Amino acid sequence: MSAARNIELKARCADLEAARAAAERHGARFVRVEHQRDTFFHARQGRLKLRERTWREGQDSEDRSDAELIPYERSDVGEARESRYHVVRVIEPQALIAALAAALGIRGVVAKRRELWMWKNVRIHLDAVEGLGSFIEFEAVMLPGETDAEAHARVAALQAALGLADASVVPVAYADLLGL
């Protein structure tokens, strides 16, 4: 199975409310709020995390949750860049965390509240990360036949629409910012 790809950009954002309003004006649609806990493991190559998510589909529904193991590779540059990844659904996250911790060791844990929006095929994440503050992340999922230039153009359009300066772009993962 070949890796999935996206073009992504992460930036610091002092005002998530203003970013939310700008995303909505630009035509993005709200999907949901998730609470995520990413456990990062030492990896020989790239990064490896187990993501546990909890969310509610509507006000009157019960909380839902799932977990995924995500190995990924991405360069640490301060601009939109390609990420190659696999997503593997996990049925027993605590058992897998224990097994991977024993085999690889845990780098650390990143906890965040993520507001998920969609614009075309771009996921817009408005993140409040424990110990770090607020960020915006764009992930333009590559569609069949789509060029990197088209995905980069969509990310650039969102960066401009949400008023994110190049100086606010973050080249590394949240785990790296936390010193994990």
Side-chain angles (χ1 to χ4, degrees), residues 5-55:
R5 292 185 331 117
N6 67 32
I7 302 299
E8 64 181 60
L9 178 93
K10 180 183 303 168
R12 291 188 179 277
C13 178
D15 189 348
L16 288 180
E17 187 154 331
R20 180 182 306 111
E24 194 167 17
R25 279 192 307 275
H26 196 67
R29 67 175 176 77
F30 173 75
V31 177
R32 66 179 174 231
V33 172
E34 298 179 351
H35 295 274
Q36 298 181 352
R37 177 182 168 87
D38 293 342
T39 302
F40 282 81
F41 301 92
H42 295 285
R44 220 181 43 199
Q45 181 177 325
R47 294 177 175 96
L48 177 64
K49 66 185 172 188
L50 190 141
R51 171 168 290 161
E52 299 169 276
R53 302 182 305 170
T54 303
W55 71 94

Side-chain angles (χ1 to χ4, degrees), residues 33-99:
V33 172
E34 298 179 351
H35 295 274
Q36 298 181 352
R37 177 182 168 87
D38 293 342
T39 302
F40 282 81
F41 301 92
H42 295 285
R44 220 181 43 199
Q45 181 177 325
R47 294 177 175 96
L48 177 64
K49 66 185 172 188
L50 190 141
R51 171 168 290 161
E52 299 169 276
R53 302 182 305 170
T54 303
W55 71 94
R56 185 169 286 183
E57 291 296 334
Q59 280 187 321
D60 299 332
S61 68
E62 293 184 24
D63 283 350
R64 298 183 61 191
S65 63
D66 69 5
E68 304 166 328
L69 184 66
I70 307 170
Y72 66 102
E73 291 186 54
R74 179 188 70 221
S75 61
D76 292 339
V77 295
E79 59 189 31
R81 70 264 191 187
E82 177 188 59
S83 178
R84 292 183 178 273
Y85 60 94
H86 294 274
V87 176
V88 180
R89 299 267 178 233
V90 174
I91 295 171
E92 297 182 40
Q94 295 311 308
L96 185 54
I97 288 171

Side-chain angles (χ1 to χ4, degrees), residues 118-177:
M118 290 295 299
W119 180 69
K120 300 186 180 187
N121 66 318
V122 182
R123 293 187 290 242
I124 302 169
H125 303 149
L126 305 181
D127 290 343
V129 183
E130 288 182 18
L132 288 179
S134 55
F135 296 81
I136 295 177
E137 185 177 62
F138 305 127
E139 293 179 348
V141 178
M142 301 300 294
L143 300 172
E146 180 178 38
T147 67
D148 285 10
E150 291 168 320
H152 276 279
R154 274 196 303 288
V155 168
L158 281 170
Q159 182 180 0
L162 274 65
L164 299 174
D166 287 342
S168 67
V169 174
V170 175
V172 297
Y174 295 136
D176 299 320
L177 290 174

